[in-house]
Amino acid sequence: GLSERMQAVMSKLRGKGKVSEADVKEATREIRLALLEADVNFKVVKTFVNRVKERAVGQEVLKSLTPGQQVVKVVNEELTALMGTEQAKLVQANRPPTKIMMVGLQGAGKTTTSGKLVKYLQKQNRKSLLVAGDVYRPAAIKQLQVLGESLDTPVFSLGDQESPVKIAEQGLAEAKQEHVDYVIFDTAGRLHIDEKMMEELKQIREKVQPDEILLVVDAMTGQDAVNVAEHFNRELGLTGIVLTKLDGDTRGGAALSVKSVTDCPIKFVGMGEKSDALEPFHPERMASRILGMGDVLTLIEKAQSNVDAEKAKALERKMRTQSFTFDDFLDQLQQVRNMGPLEDMLGMLPGAGQMKGLKNMQVDEKQIGRIEAIIRSMTPYEKEHPEHINASRRKRIALGSGTNVQDVNRLLKQFDDMKKMMKKFSAMTKSKKKRKGFK
Ligand code: GDP
Ligand code: MG
């Protein structure tokens, strides 16, 4: 995938003491291929690669003390810029209800995302009303009603015999009467862009004057998603994009091109089918994730909403100061297990994507059990000073945990790699802060 390929290029650069212009050229060539293969729009790729090249062969980079790191930084910054730089927030109307209109092709995830938004807003103590505007797809109304019920949120419907425009209008009146904070209009999609659909959407837009028109697109469709976005934006004037199915086997092209092609920000990404699988989109974090620099911030936010804040803060500090011990590792494993798919979580740890061993262990719950057993067989001293775990200690730990010495060795190696990556990551964020401070 894109991430693996980018990480390979980046780690080659990072490891270099000296970087020549030829090294940069080779790296940008590989980046170019990786992006094209990930289905990023070719114009976007061209501009991107030229910008990186221009900045990376500049004197301040090649002559710096850590040119490899500097190039990685340039790539990271340019990737971030490509995706919009700042996090684009959901609009809030001056006077409630804030009106959000969901648009997109059939199957993109409009209805699912409507539910996810309700849940997202509930976490901020905001009440919503859902309006069932898809009168064409069989069972579409029922789908929304079931979602509404599971979220304890009212659904406004006039059945499937009324016009979507009328439903939207009356839905809005209901939202005002009920004094909800948000009203979310679910609409019908078609398999392809079609005049009638667009016309109807325009009429709904006229009637309700939405504060947000969110286009929901399936990230798995790559370039198509970008074309769809361009078209909808031209016709309707979008305020934001939600990229869904980023949990799947997407090549990443849509996330990287859609903003620069449409100039419309990605506001959220869908990471699964469940109602809580919606994340605000942070360009910088996404770039770091692609480059394998980890996404500690998202991990910490998840931790904060799922475990107690104290622990999450401590974790952040430990990652920053590299005083992460095996006790923390164990603690993390357990919390992570409660948080969601382990694979996603570990993917957010700096460098985890590069660690083949860790990657294999992600999906294998048995292996996790083994790791827990190994850590539990360590003495408190060993957990804090893994570097002092010698051959005889390893043997004892293996015996105590019912594993073998290779298992213990592997875990120690992985832990060591992880600490090294955290160190690099924290050095990198430090230098970034410094730079900002000077400006
Ligand atoms: P709509 O036609 O645009 O309303 O699409 P739906 O909301 O009905 O979603 C179509 C399918 O995509 C459903 O099976 C959803 O569960 C699925 N889906 C939506 N968003 C996501 C996502 O972020 N990840 C995954 N894996 N599936 C999603
Ligand atoms: Mg739908």
Side-chain angles (χ1 to χ4, degrees):
L2 175 64
S3 195
E4 282 79 13
R5 292 190 58 167
M6 294 293 268
Q7 284 173 37
V9 182
M10 294 305 117
S11 67
K12 227 196 268 173
L13 281 173
R14 267 195 207 112
K16 282 209 157 98
K18 277 193 178 147
V19 177
S20 66
E21 208 169 314
D23 291 330
V24 172
K25 286 217 169 104
E26 193 196 321
T28 50
R29 197 160 42 236
E30 284 168 29
I31 291 172
R32 185 174 162 274
L33 285 175
L35 292 174
L36 287 174
E37 199 162 283
D39 208 16
V40 179
N41 179 290
F42 77 94
K43 279 188 214 149
V44 174
V45 173
K46 198 168 163 200
T47 318
F48 177 79
V49 168
N50 284 340
R51 280 197 57 89
V52 169
K53 226 188 278 177
E54 201 174 290
R55 288 186 59 193
V57 297
Q59 291 304 307
E60 87 273 24
V61 170
L62 295 188
K63 291 242 172 91
S64 72
L65 287 173
T66 52
Q69 297 256 17
Q70 295 299 317
V71 178
V72 173
K73 208 169 115 199
V74 166
V75 174
N76 188 30
E77 284 172 8
E78 290 298 326
L79 270 183
T80 305
L82 198 58
M83 293 184 285
T85 309
E86 297 282 315
Q87 200 240 317
K89 296 212 163 66
L90 202 61
V91 169
Q92 198 178 344
N94 289 332
R95 277 205 315 155
T98 300
K99 298 164 279 185
I100 304 178
M101 179 174 169
M102 311 296 287
V103 301
L105 296 184
Q106 192 169 313
K110 291 179 296 303
T111 306
T112 312
T113 306
S114 302
K116 288 175 180 176
L117 281 172
V118 167
K119 177 106 184 190
Y120 173 79
L121 292 164
Q122 276 175 346
K123 287 192 178 158
Q124 303 167 14
N125 286 320
R126 298 279 187 271
K127 282 204 174 66
S128 308
L129 172 73
L130 287 161
V131 178
D134 185 354
V135 298
Y136 303 110
R137 194 172 171 179
I141 296 173
K142 184 81 197 158
Q143 183 191 0
L144 197 66
Q145 283 165 338
V146 170
L147 260 177
E149 203 157 305
S150 75
L151 295 164
D152 217 358
T153 292
V155 176
F156 180 84
S157 162
L158 294 176
D160 59 7
Q161 297 302 311
E162 291 290 351
S163 89
V165 182
K166 186 171 172 189
I167 294 170
E169 191 180 14
Q170 294 196 13
L172 177 57
E174 171 94 358
K176 286 178 178 163
Q177 203 171 7
E178 295 298 316
H179 298 288
V180 294
D181 304 297
Y182 286 82
V183 50
I184 301 171
F185 301 93
D186 187 24
T187 64
R190 302 279 201 282
L191 287 176
H192 305 283
I193 289 174
D194 130 344
E195 276 311 303
K196 194 164 170 278
M197 166 184 73
M198 226 31 113
E199 218 23 70
E200 202 168 86
L201 292 174
K202 282 180 190 166
Q203 286 174 22
I204 296 173
R205 184 189 60 182
E206 269 325 290
K207 268 278 178 306
V208 306
Q209 303 281 326
D211 303 291
E212 284 270 11
I213 305 184
L214 292 182
L215 173 73
V216 180
V217 279
D218 179 342
M220 307 247 274
T221 60
Q223 296 259 6
D224 270 348
V226 179
N227 295 337
V228 166
E230 218 178 351
H231 194 106
F232 270 86
N233 191 39
R234 195 165 352 107
E235 295 281 331
L236 288 170
L238 304 172
T239 60
I241 293 171
V242 181
L243 269 186
T244 59
K245 310 186 195 181
L246 233 79
D247 52 311
D249 192 19
T250 67
R251 288 184 289 167
L256 286 167
S257 359
V258 78
K259 164 69 174 59
S260 56
V261 172
T262 62
D263 203 30
C264 185
I266 301 173
K267 291 201 169 170
F268 292 94
V269 290
M271 303 293 292
E273 304 198 45
K274 298 224 181 78
S275 285
D276 54 7
L278 185 75
E279 290 175 10
F281 182 73
H282 296 271
E284 187 171 351
R285 300 186 195 178
M286 186 60 126
S288 299
R289 250 195 240 186
I290 291 173
L291 297 181
M293 301 195 294
D295 186 357
V296 178
L297 288 174
T298 299
L299 188 62
I300 288 161
E301 264 172 25
K302 282 216 177 222
Q304 275 167 344
S305 67
N306 288 282
V307 288
D308 63 287
E310 282 303 306
K311 269 190 177 173
K313 256 200 212 114
L315 172 66
E316 186 196 23
R317 197 180 51 244
K318 281 177 170 161
M319 284 188 166
R320 253 193 295 112
T321 58
Q322 291 113 45
S323 53
F324 195 77
T325 68
F326 264 116
D327 269 323
D328 303 314
F329 189 79
L330 188 59
D331 209 30
Q332 236 4 63
L333 268 183
Q334 275 150 0
Q335 291 181 10
V336 153
R337 275 173 125 169
N338 303 332
M339 269 187 232
L342 205 48
E343 209 161 346
D344 297 353
M345 295 295 148
L346 287 173
M348 290 176 197
L349 282 175
Q354 289 173 326
M355 290 150 55
K356 289 272 151 42
L358 193 56
K359 200 151 201 195
N360 293 337
M361 118 192 165
Q362 291 164 17
V363 274
D364 187 351
E365 284 284 324
K366 242 193 253 154
Q367 180 82 356
I368 301 250
R370 227 166 7 234
I371 285 170
E372 284 185 4
I374 293 172
I375 299 176
R376 288 186 199 290
S377 296
M378 293 176 186
T379 65
Y381 177 79
E382 287 165 346
K383 284 185 214 168
E384 279 185 33
H385 304 278
E387 67 280 5
H388 292 169
I389 304 182
N390 57 19
S392 70
R393 285 176 186 266
R394 289 177 195 216
K395 221 185 215 162
R396 195 210 72 240
I397 292 169
L399 265 176
S401 57
T403 60
N404 56 48
V405 175
Q406 281 104 299
D407 290 327
V408 178
N409 287 341
R410 196 177 318 123
L411 179 64
L412 288 170
K413 171 83 173 58
Q414 284 170 342
F415 188 74
D416 194 46
D417 286 347
M418 185 157 119
K419 281 190 84 160
K420 281 192 191 126
M421 287 309 300
M422 283 180 186
K423 198 166 168 182
K424 277 191 186 158
F425 180 77
S426 111
M428 202 169 264
T429 44
K430 251 183 245 153
S431 71
K432 191 179 290 166
K433 272 191 197 130
K434 225 189 253 163
R435 221 176 57 91
K436 277 188 184 146
F438 277 134
K439 271 193 176 164

mmCIF file of all heavy atoms in Angstrom, residues 299-335:
data_model
loop_
_atom_site.group_PDB
_atom_site.id
_atom_site.type_symbol
_atom_site.label_atom_id
_atom_site.label_comp_id
_atom_site.label_asym_id
_atom_site.label_seq_id
_atom_site.Cartn_x
_atom_site.Cartn_y
_atom_site.Cartn_z
ATOM 1 N N LEU A 299 -4.724 8.752 18.730
ATOM 2 C CA LEU A 299 -4.705 7.672 19.709
ATOM 3 C C LEU A 299 -5.046 8.210 21.097
ATOM 4 O O LEU A 299 -5.839 7.631 21.826
ATOM 5 C CB LEU A 299 -3.312 7.040 19.710
ATOM 6 C CG LEU A 299 -3.137 5.778 20.530
ATOM 7 C CD1 LEU A 299 -4.028 4.679 19.987
ATOM 8 C CD2 LEU A 299 -1.695 5.317 20.511
ATOM 9 N N ILE A 300 -4.472 9.341 21.410
ATOM 10 C CA ILE A 300 -4.718 9.927 22.723
ATOM 11 C C ILE A 300 -6.162 10.409 22.851
ATOM 12 O O ILE A 300 -6.802 10.221 23.879
ATOM 13 C CB ILE A 300 -3.729 11.072 22.982
ATOM 14 C CG1 ILE A 300 -2.342 10.466 23.220
ATOM 15 C CG2 ILE A 300 -4.142 11.917 24.184
ATOM 16 C CD1 ILE A 300 -1.211 11.424 23.034
ATOM 17 N N GLU A 301 -6.682 10.997 21.774
ATOM 18 C CA GLU A 301 -8.079 11.419 21.820
ATOM 19 C C GLU A 301 -9.005 10.239 22.043
ATOM 20 O O GLU A 301 -9.960 10.310 22.800
ATOM 21 C CB GLU A 301 -8.464 12.126 20.525
ATOM 22 C CG GLU A 301 -8.352 13.614 20.668
ATOM 23 C CD GLU A 301 -8.530 14.327 19.357
ATOM 24 O OE1 GLU A 301 -9.171 13.787 18.445
ATOM 25 O OE2 GLU A 301 -8.023 15.463 19.256
ATOM 26 N N LYS A 302 -8.705 9.145 21.357
ATOM 27 C CA LYS A 302 -9.512 7.937 21.544
ATOM 28 C C LYS A 302 -9.399 7.486 22.976
ATOM 29 O O LYS A 302 -10.386 7.128 23.617
ATOM 30 C CB LYS A 302 -9.020 6.811 20.635
ATOM 31 C CG LYS A 302 -9.470 6.972 19.249
ATOM 32 C CD LYS A 302 -9.773 5.630 18.622
ATOM 33 C CE LYS A 302 -10.302 5.909 17.244
ATOM 34 N NZ LYS A 302 -11.379 5.176 16.803
ATOM 35 N N ALA A 303 -8.182 7.517 23.466
ATOM 36 C CA ALA A 303 -7.962 7.091 24.843
ATOM 37 C C ALA A 303 -8.777 7.972 25.771
ATOM 38 O O ALA A 303 -9.406 7.494 26.706
ATOM 39 C CB ALA A 303 -6.482 7.172 25.183
ATOM 40 N N GLN A 304 -8.803 9.259 25.480
ATOM 41 C CA GLN A 304 -9.507 10.165 26.371
ATOM 42 C C GLN A 304 -11.004 9.933 26.368
ATOM 43 O O GLN A 304 -11.651 10.071 27.389
ATOM 44 C CB GLN A 304 -9.198 11.615 26.010
ATOM 45 C CG GLN A 304 -7.914 12.049 26.691
ATOM 46 C CD GLN A 304 -7.373 13.338 26.138
ATOM 47 O OE1 GLN A 304 -7.776 13.762 25.065
ATOM 48 N NE2 GLN A 304 -6.475 13.938 26.864
ATOM 49 N N SER A 305 -11.543 9.570 25.207
ATOM 50 C CA SER A 305 -12.981 9.357 25.226
ATOM 51 C C SER A 305 -13.333 7.962 25.714
ATOM 52 O O SER A 305 -14.468 7.690 26.027
ATOM 53 C CB SER A 305 -13.589 9.654 23.854
ATOM 54 O OG SER A 305 -13.148 8.728 22.921
ATOM 55 N N ASN A 306 -12.362 7.084 25.805
ATOM 56 C CA ASN A 306 -12.669 5.717 26.212
ATOM 57 C C ASN A 306 -12.115 5.300 27.571
ATOM 58 O O ASN A 306 -12.658 4.437 28.218
ATOM 59 C CB ASN A 306 -12.165 4.721 25.179
ATOM 60 C CG ASN A 306 -12.999 4.743 23.927
ATOM 61 O OD1 ASN A 306 -14.080 4.184 23.885
ATOM 62 N ND2 ASN A 306 -12.530 5.427 22.924
ATOM 63 N N VAL A 307 -11.022 5.891 27.969
ATOM 64 C CA VAL A 307 -10.484 5.578 29.286
ATOM 65 C C VAL A 307 -10.321 6.882 30.048
ATOM 66 O O VAL A 307 -10.603 7.951 29.535
ATOM 67 C CB VAL A 307 -9.120 4.868 29.214
ATOM 68 C CG1 VAL A 307 -9.273 3.460 28.739
ATOM 69 C CG2 VAL A 307 -8.167 5.636 28.347
ATOM 70 N N ASP A 308 -9.834 6.779 31.276
ATOM 71 C CA ASP A 308 -9.826 8.032 32.010
ATOM 72 C C ASP A 308 -8.707 8.962 31.552
ATOM 73 O O ASP A 308 -7.643 8.560 31.108
ATOM 74 C CB ASP A 308 -9.787 7.788 33.520
ATOM 75 C CG ASP A 308 -8.541 7.079 33.940
ATOM 76 O OD1 ASP A 308 -8.442 5.872 33.650
ATOM 77 O OD2 ASP A 308 -7.672 7.730 34.535
ATOM 78 N N ALA A 309 -9.008 10.217 31.637
ATOM 79 C CA ALA A 309 -8.145 11.258 31.079
ATOM 80 C C ALA A 309 -6.766 11.266 31.727
ATOM 81 O O ALA A 309 -5.764 11.525 31.073
ATOM 82 C CB ALA A 309 -8.815 12.615 31.265
ATOM 83 N N GLU A 310 -6.733 10.936 33.000
ATOM 84 C CA GLU A 310 -5.455 10.928 33.720
ATOM 85 C C GLU A 310 -4.461 9.988 33.057
ATOM 86 O O GLU A 310 -3.327 10.335 32.782
ATOM 87 C CB GLU A 310 -5.686 10.467 35.165
ATOM 88 C CG GLU A 310 -6.271 11.535 36.053
ATOM 89 C CD GLU A 310 -5.403 12.790 36.086
ATOM 90 O OE1 GLU A 310 -4.210 12.658 36.391
ATOM 91 O OE2 GLU A 310 -5.929 13.871 35.784
ATOM 92 N N LYS A 311 -4.957 8.802 32.785
ATOM 93 C CA LYS A 311 -4.086 7.794 32.199
ATOM 94 C C LYS A 311 -3.599 8.225 30.828
ATOM 95 O O LYS A 311 -2.443 8.012 30.462
ATOM 96 C CB LYS A 311 -4.836 6.469 32.072
ATOM 97 C CG LYS A 311 -4.666 5.592 33.271
ATOM 98 C CD LYS A 311 -5.217 4.214 32.993
ATOM 99 C CE LYS A 311 -4.975 3.292 34.169
ATOM 100 N NZ LYS A 311 -5.627 1.995 34.012
ATOM 101 N N ALA A 312 -4.514 8.834 30.068
ATOM 102 C CA ALA A 312 -4.147 9.250 28.715
ATOM 103 C C ALA A 312 -3.070 10.323 28.757
ATOM 104 O O ALA A 312 -2.140 10.317 27.956
ATOM 105 C CB ALA A 312 -5.378 9.766 27.981
ATOM 106 N N LYS A 313 -3.221 11.236 29.691
ATOM 107 C CA LYS A 313 -2.222 12.295 29.820
ATOM 108 C C LYS A 313 -0.864 11.698 30.170
ATOM 109 O O LYS A 313 0.166 12.087 29.626
ATOM 110 C CB LYS A 313 -2.642 13.274 30.918
ATOM 111 C CG LYS A 313 -3.181 14.557 30.338
ATOM 112 C CD LYS A 313 -3.142 15.669 31.369
ATOM 113 C CE LYS A 313 -4.307 16.615 31.143
ATOM 114 N NZ LYS A 313 -5.273 16.597 32.239
ATOM 115 N N ALA A 314 -0.895 10.766 31.091
ATOM 116 C CA ALA A 314 0.359 10.125 31.503
ATOM 117 C C ALA A 314 1.009 9.440 30.304
ATOM 118 O O ALA A 314 2.216 9.513 30.116
ATOM 119 C CB ALA A 314 0.079 9.119 32.611
ATOM 120 N N LEU A 315 0.176 8.810 29.502
ATOM 121 C CA LEU A 315 0.704 8.121 28.319
ATOM 122 C C LEU A 315 1.380 9.111 27.372
ATOM 123 O O LEU A 315 2.473 8.880 26.878
ATOM 124 C CB LEU A 315 -0.426 7.395 27.584
ATOM 125 C CG LEU A 315 -0.035 6.809 26.222
ATOM 126 C CD1 LEU A 315 0.975 5.695 26.377
ATOM 127 C CD2 LEU A 315 -1.266 6.310 25.480
ATOM 128 N N GLU A 316 0.709 10.221 27.175
ATOM 129 C CA GLU A 316 1.268 11.231 26.272
ATOM 130 C C GLU A 316 2.632 11.690 26.781
ATOM 131 O O GLU A 316 3.591 11.804 26.028
ATOM 132 C CB GLU A 316 0.312 12.414 26.176
ATOM 133 C CG GLU A 316 0.772 13.428 25.155
ATOM 134 C CD GLU A 316 0.077 14.770 25.301
ATOM 135 O OE1 GLU A 316 -0.412 15.069 26.410
ATOM 136 O OE2 GLU A 316 0.040 15.517 24.331
ATOM 137 N N ARG A 317 2.694 11.927 28.083
ATOM 138 C CA ARG A 317 3.947 12.400 28.666
ATOM 139 C C ARG A 317 5.045 11.353 28.486
ATOM 140 O O ARG A 317 6.164 11.655 28.110
ATOM 141 C CB ARG A 317 3.752 12.725 30.142
ATOM 142 C CG ARG A 317 4.870 13.587 30.700
ATOM 143 C CD ARG A 317 4.662 13.900 32.169
ATOM 144 N NE ARG A 317 4.411 12.698 32.945
ATOM 145 C CZ ARG A 317 3.275 12.456 33.583
ATOM 146 N NH1 ARG A 317 2.289 13.319 33.557
ATOM 147 N NH2 ARG A 317 3.122 11.342 34.267
ATOM 148 N N LYS A 318 4.661 10.131 28.724
ATOM 149 C CA LYS A 318 5.650 9.062 28.613
ATOM 150 C C LYS A 318 6.169 8.913 27.201
ATOM 151 O O LYS A 318 7.337 8.656 26.978
ATOM 152 C CB LYS A 318 5.050 7.752 29.087
ATOM 153 C CG LYS A 318 5.061 7.700 30.586
ATOM 154 C CD LYS A 318 4.415 6.469 31.102
ATOM 155 C CE LYS A 318 4.681 6.351 32.588
ATOM 156 N NZ LYS A 318 3.761 5.461 33.247
ATOM 157 N N MET A 319 5.262 9.078 26.252
ATOM 158 C CA MET A 319 5.711 8.980 24.867
ATOM 159 C C MET A 319 6.655 10.119 24.552
ATOM 160 O O MET A 319 7.628 9.948 23.841
ATOM 161 C CB MET A 319 4.511 9.018 23.928
ATOM 162 C CG MET A 319 3.760 7.707 23.916
ATOM 163 S SD MET A 319 2.521 7.742 22.630
ATOM 164 C CE MET A 319 2.100 5.994 22.565
ATOM 165 N N ARG A 320 6.340 11.262 25.091
ATOM 166 C CA ARG A 320 7.188 12.422 24.823
ATOM 167 C C ARG A 320 8.568 12.258 25.450
ATOM 168 O O ARG A 320 9.576 12.597 24.863
ATOM 169 C CB ARG A 320 6.513 13.694 25.346
ATOM 170 C CG ARG A 320 5.980 14.563 24.216
ATOM 171 C CD ARG A 320 5.599 15.944 24.682
ATOM 172 N NE ARG A 320 4.484 15.961 25.607
ATOM 173 C CZ ARG A 320 4.569 16.295 26.880
ATOM 174 N NH1 ARG A 320 5.721 16.670 27.375
ATOM 175 N NH2 ARG A 320 3.509 16.270 27.653
ATOM 176 N N THR A 321 8.588 11.769 26.667
ATOM 177 C CA THR A 321 9.868 11.717 27.372
ATOM 178 C C THR A 321 10.534 10.356 27.249
ATOM 179 O O THR A 321 11.562 10.110 27.850
ATOM 180 C CB THR A 321 9.655 12.034 28.864
ATOM 181 O OG1 THR A 321 8.710 11.085 29.388
ATOM 182 C CG2 THR A 321 9.089 13.424 29.043
ATOM 183 N N GLN A 322 9.955 9.501 26.473
ATOM 184 C CA GLN A 322 10.520 8.156 26.253
ATOM 185 C C GLN A 322 10.733 7.384 27.546
ATOM 186 O O GLN A 322 11.721 6.696 27.710
ATOM 187 C CB GLN A 322 11.848 8.233 25.498
ATOM 188 C CG GLN A 322 11.698 8.682 24.068
ATOM 189 C CD GLN A 322 12.317 10.033 23.853
ATOM 190 O OE1 GLN A 322 13.411 10.280 24.311
ATOM 191 N NE2 GLN A 322 11.633 10.906 23.175
ATOM 192 N N SER A 323 9.836 7.578 28.498
ATOM 193 C CA SER A 323 9.953 6.773 29.710
ATOM 194 C C SER A 323 8.857 5.714 29.737
ATOM 195 O O SER A 323 8.266 5.406 30.745
ATOM 196 C CB SER A 323 9.877 7.677 30.941
ATOM 197 O OG SER A 323 8.728 8.484 30.871
ATOM 198 N N PHE A 324 8.593 5.195 28.566
ATOM 199 C CA PHE A 324 7.557 4.192 28.361
ATOM 200 C C PHE A 324 8.108 2.827 28.789
ATOM 201 O O PHE A 324 9.137 2.390 28.298
ATOM 202 C CB PHE A 324 7.258 4.200 26.861
ATOM 203 C CG PHE A 324 6.001 3.514 26.455
ATOM 204 C CD1 PHE A 324 4.771 4.126 26.642
ATOM 205 C CD2 PHE A 324 6.042 2.277 25.831
ATOM 206 C CE1 PHE A 324 3.610 3.510 26.226
ATOM 207 C CE2 PHE A 324 4.879 1.655 25.415
ATOM 208 C CZ PHE A 324 3.669 2.283 25.615
ATOM 209 N N THR A 325 7.452 2.183 29.760
ATOM 210 C CA THR A 325 7.962 0.892 30.234
ATOM 211 C C THR A 325 7.060 -0.251 29.786
ATOM 212 O O THR A 325 6.009 -0.024 29.188
ATOM 213 C CB THR A 325 8.004 0.853 31.778
ATOM 214 O OG1 THR A 325 6.647 0.849 32.233
ATOM 215 C CG2 THR A 325 8.755 2.039 32.344
ATOM 216 N N PHE A 326 7.466 -1.451 30.122
ATOM 217 C CA PHE A 326 6.640 -2.616 29.793
ATOM 218 C C PHE A 326 5.311 -2.598 30.531
ATOM 219 O O PHE A 326 4.329 -3.135 30.047
ATOM 220 C CB PHE A 326 7.399 -3.913 30.096
ATOM 221 C CG PHE A 326 8.073 -4.475 28.879
ATOM 222 C CD1 PHE A 326 9.446 -4.570 28.809
ATOM 223 C CD2 PHE A 326 7.322 -4.895 27.802
ATOM 224 C CE1 PHE A 326 10.060 -5.084 27.678
ATOM 225 C CE2 PHE A 326 7.918 -5.406 26.662
ATOM 226 C CZ PHE A 326 9.296 -5.500 26.600
ATOM 227 N N ASP A 327 5.271 -1.968 31.697
ATOM 228 C CA ASP A 327 3.989 -1.846 32.399
ATOM 229 C C ASP A 327 3.019 -1.008 31.584
ATOM 230 O O ASP A 327 1.836 -1.326 31.468
ATOM 231 C CB ASP A 327 4.200 -1.175 33.769
ATOM 232 C CG ASP A 327 4.463 -2.209 34.849
ATOM 233 O OD1 ASP A 327 3.836 -3.292 34.779
ATOM 234 O OD2 ASP A 327 5.298 -1.940 35.730
ATOM 235 N N ASP A 328 3.549 0.094 31.017
ATOM 236 C CA ASP A 328 2.702 0.948 30.189
ATOM 237 C C ASP A 328 2.257 0.200 28.947
ATOM 238 O O ASP A 328 1.127 0.328 28.493
ATOM 239 C CB ASP A 328 3.476 2.196 29.743
ATOM 240 C CG ASP A 328 4.010 2.965 30.922
ATOM 241 O OD1 ASP A 328 3.247 3.164 31.871
ATOM 242 O OD2 ASP A 328 5.195 3.330 30.898
ATOM 243 N N PHE A 329 3.183 -0.572 28.429
ATOM 244 C CA PHE A 329 2.890 -1.343 27.220
ATOM 245 C C PHE A 329 1.719 -2.296 27.475
ATOM 246 O O PHE A 329 0.765 -2.365 26.705
ATOM 247 C CB PHE A 329 4.152 -2.122 26.827
ATOM 248 C CG PHE A 329 4.075 -2.790 25.478
ATOM 249 C CD1 PHE A 329 4.262 -2.062 24.322
ATOM 250 C CD2 PHE A 329 3.849 -4.149 25.368
ATOM 251 C CE1 PHE A 329 4.210 -2.668 23.069
ATOM 252 C CE2 PHE A 329 3.800 -4.769 24.136
ATOM 253 C CZ PHE A 329 3.983 -4.025 22.984
ATOM 254 N N LEU A 330 1.785 -2.961 28.608
ATOM 255 C CA LEU A 330 0.735 -3.904 28.979
ATOM 256 C C LEU A 330 -0.594 -3.177 29.196
ATOM 257 O O LEU A 330 -1.643 -3.590 28.697
ATOM 258 C CB LEU A 330 1.152 -4.627 30.262
ATOM 259 C CG LEU A 330 0.287 -5.794 30.722
ATOM 260 C CD1 LEU A 330 0.227 -6.870 29.659
ATOM 261 C CD2 LEU A 330 0.840 -6.384 32.009
ATOM 262 N N ASP A 331 -0.507 -2.077 29.913
ATOM 263 C CA ASP A 331 -1.662 -1.247 30.188
ATOM 264 C C ASP A 331 -2.305 -0.810 28.869
ATOM 265 O O ASP A 331 -3.517 -0.884 28.690
ATOM 266 C CB ASP A 331 -1.162 -0.006 30.936
ATOM 267 C CG ASP A 331 -2.228 0.538 31.846
ATOM 268 O OD1 ASP A 331 -3.033 -0.270 32.323
ATOM 269 O OD2 ASP A 331 -2.250 1.753 32.066
ATOM 270 N N GLN A 332 -1.462 -0.394 27.961
ATOM 271 C CA GLN A 332 -1.902 0.075 26.663
ATOM 272 C C GLN A 332 -2.588 -1.039 25.895
ATOM 273 O O GLN A 332 -3.639 -0.845 25.320
ATOM 274 C CB GLN A 332 -0.673 0.541 25.883
ATOM 275 C CG GLN A 332 -0.698 1.944 25.366
ATOM 276 C CD GLN A 332 -1.902 2.737 25.776
ATOM 277 O OE1 GLN A 332 -2.112 2.980 26.960
ATOM 278 N NE2 GLN A 332 -2.716 3.127 24.831
ATOM 279 N N LEU A 333 -1.963 -2.205 25.912
ATOM 280 C CA LEU A 333 -2.544 -3.346 25.206
ATOM 281 C C LEU A 333 -3.966 -3.580 25.674
ATOM 282 O O LEU A 333 -4.876 -3.795 24.893
ATOM 283 C CB LEU A 333 -1.723 -4.617 25.464
ATOM 284 C CG LEU A 333 -0.608 -4.955 24.491
ATOM 285 C CD1 LEU A 333 0.017 -6.279 24.879
ATOM 286 C CD2 LEU A 333 -1.119 -5.026 23.075
ATOM 287 N N GLN A 334 -4.138 -3.507 26.988
ATOM 288 C CA GLN A 334 -5.466 -3.789 27.530
ATOM 289 C C GLN A 334 -6.473 -2.698 27.188
ATOM 290 O O GLN A 334 -7.609 -2.983 26.840
ATOM 291 C CB GLN A 334 -5.392 -3.999 29.034
ATOM 292 C CG GLN A 334 -5.042 -5.433 29.335
ATOM 293 C CD GLN A 334 -4.279 -5.577 30.613
ATOM 294 O OE1 GLN A 334 -4.004 -4.586 31.295
ATOM 295 N NE2 GLN A 334 -3.924 -6.790 30.947
ATOM 296 N N GLN A 335 -6.026 -1.444 27.268
ATOM 297 C CA GLN A 335 -6.950 -0.355 26.942
ATOM 298 C C GLN A 335 -7.299 -0.372 25.464
ATOM 299 O O GLN A 335 -8.441 -0.160 25.078
ATOM 300 C CB GLN A 335 -6.322 0.973 27.321
ATOM 301 C CG GLN A 335 -6.216 1.110 28.819
ATOM 302 C CD GLN A 335 -5.616 2.436 29.205
ATOM 303 O OE1 GLN A 335 -5.452 3.313 28.383
ATOM 304 N NE2 GLN A 335 -5.294 2.576 30.463
#
